[in-house]
């Protein structure tokens, strides 16, 4: 089965959650490359200094983290180069089930999904449908 995306970033301050998320995404053959960060600061620094490296297709983001939380990450994400903001889509993966949190994260146009932990098969299937719907069909030149 083909991978759904090329590059995925996981941002979560919990080693256990990172391990579980990584294994789950590996089992579902989600991504060619999985990169993990234990803080929003580390992930933002990597994104800012990627020096021409292809940005991630998907970023799984925890909201409740020390130092810079997921909301702080989203605010800083909006200041990143357009190349990153255009390519990378954010999936909030959090223990929060607050409607206020849900509404607030969707104010960022890069957020495409809000998932309450743990990550489940239905979540991946919904994400796969969203990704497929956003893919542009090939341009036909009209000649036969």
């Amino acid at each position: 089965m083909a991978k759904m995306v090329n590059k995925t970033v996981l941002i979560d301050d919990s080693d256990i959650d990172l391990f579980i998320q990584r294994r789950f995404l590996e089992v579902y053959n989600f991504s060619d490359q999985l990169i993990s960060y234990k803080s929003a600061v580390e992930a933002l620094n990597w994104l800012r200094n990627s020096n021409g490296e292809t940005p991630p297709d998907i970023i799984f983001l925890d909201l409740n983290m020390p130092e810079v939380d997921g909301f702080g990450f989203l605010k800083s994400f909006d200041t990143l180069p357009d190349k990153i903001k255009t390519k990378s889509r954010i999936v909030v993966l959090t223990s929060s089930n607050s409607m206020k949190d849900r509404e607030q994260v969707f104010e960022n146009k890069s957020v495409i999904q809000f998932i309450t932990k743990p990550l489940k098969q239905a979540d991946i299937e919904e994400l796969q449908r969203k990704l497929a719907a956003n893919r542009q069909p090939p341009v036909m030149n009209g000649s036969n």
Side-chain angles (χ1 to χ4, degrees), residues 3-16:
K3 305 273 199 258
M4 292 182 211
V5 299
N6 293 322
K7 188 185 291 185
T8 299
V9 170
L10 303 170
I11 307 170
D12 199 311
D13 61 312
S14 165
D15 284 326
I16 293 169

Side-chain angles (χ1 to χ4, degrees), residues 109-126:
K109 66 181 180 186
S110 296
V111 175
I112 61 168
Q113 194 169 354
F114 184 100
I115 300 171
T116 301
K117 291 177 185 175
L119 193 55
K120 298 169 282 309
Q121 180 177 351
D123 299 322
I124 293 298
E125 290 168 355
E126 181 181 343

Side-chain angles (χ1 to χ4, degrees), residues 62-91:
D62 186 25
L63 290 182
N64 303 309
M65 295 181 287
E67 199 174 344
V68 175
D69 65 9
F71 298 107
F73 176 90
L74 291 173
K75 198 174 284 187
S76 294
F77 185 83
D78 283 339
T79 69
L80 293 174
D82 286 341
K83 174 185 172 187
I84 296 169
K85 293 187 297 189
T86 303
K87 179 161 175 48
S88 300
R89 294 291 158 251
I90 299 171
V91 175

Side-chain angles (χ1 to χ4, degrees), residues 41-57:
V41 172
E42 287 177 16
L44 287 164
N45 286 339
W46 174 75
L47 287 165
R48 283 187 192 107
N49 300 312
S50 56
N51 296 331
E53 187 178 334
T54 304
D57 300 290

